[in-house]
Amino acid sequence: PNFAANASISGLSVVCLGGTYTINNLPTGATIEWTQSENLNRVSTQGDNPCFFSLNGSGAAWVGATIISDCGSITLPHKAIWIGVPDWTLLEVDLEGGVLVACGDYIDGTARFNGSAGIDAYEWKIIGTNNWEIRQVWGSLFPYKNVEIKYWEDPAPFQEDIYIRAHNSCGWS
């Protein structure tokens, strides 16, 4: 039988300044060997429970642990972590119906983040004119994940840039 069947790593999934991680349900008499991705530094003494990690970079990271006892050892699944604000290079935008907008028509836009950064909101902007409307639609769990974009002047400009950024508990991308 697995002597550490109920053990798990708990702690924040998004960290801004550093984070504390704990092995839950650690078997009596067992010790811990912590591991971490290169963008984290273990500050606490090896084997401490809980264990504090400081940041050595940003982006996707992980904390791992091996539990060691007289019954053997078991490596727990890594705890996935995101360090810092969302990385804007991982943002994608889908515009339904193409990228051309006729005067008075709406196109639908959807923002997507290709990572696990704990996104809680998106912001869209079109800079250069006041004739654009961007409004939230579809009752998304994340503000402005799904939008409608409309232009109010005829003829519409030849080209405009759409700016988008994502927010998590550490701030904006």
Side-chain angles (χ1 to χ4, degrees):
N2 182 348
F3 69 93
N6 295 322
S8 63
I9 302 172
S10 66
L12 294 174
S13 296
V14 177
V15 294
C16 308
L17 300 172
T20 299
Y21 295 86
T22 302
I23 304 297
N24 298 315
N25 302 310
L26 183 66
T28 303
T31 59
I32 304 166
E33 183 177 303
W34 292 98
T35 56
Q36 71 276 349
S37 57
E38 290 182 6
N39 48 0
L40 289 172
N41 291 321
R42 182 178 39 79
V43 175
S44 300
T45 302
Q46 181 65 275
D48 281 359
N49 192 33
C51 188
F52 182 77
F53 294 85
S54 65
L55 310 183
N56 185 32
S58 60
W62 55 268
V63 169
T66 298
I67 298 174
I68 303 162
S69 81
D70 292 340
C71 298
S73 65
I74 184 167
T75 300
L76 299 178
H78 288 168
K79 166 77 176 171
I81 302 166
W82 184 268
I83 299 173
V85 300
D87 180 348
W88 67 271
T89 64
L90 298 177
L91 280 168
E92 289 186 7
V93 172
D94 291 329
L95 298 175
E96 189 174 306
V99 295
L100 300 177
V101 182
C103 179
D105 289 342
Y106 285 100
I107 62 168
D108 296 328
T110 301
R112 185 173 49 255
F113 186 81
N114 292 319
S116 57
I119 304 301
D120 57 23
Y122 293 92
E123 181 181 63
W124 299 66
K125 286 185 181 179
I126 299 175
I127 298 173
T129 179
N130 293 327
N131 295 321
W132 290 97
E133 175 188 359
I134 300 175
R135 67 181 187 183
Q136 181 175 336
V137 294
W138 307 318
S140 171
L141 295 175
F142 308 109
Y144 288 91
K145 177 177 176 54
N146 302 306
V147 299
E148 287 182 339
I149 302 171
K150 184 176 186 176
Y151 190 73
W152 292 102
E153 187 178 296
D154 200 13
F158 176 71
Q159 181 175 339
E160 295 282 0
D161 292 325
I162 297 175
Y163 296 90
I164 185 168
R165 62 184 186 159
H167 184 270
N168 69 8
S169 58
C170 297
W172 288 99
S173 59

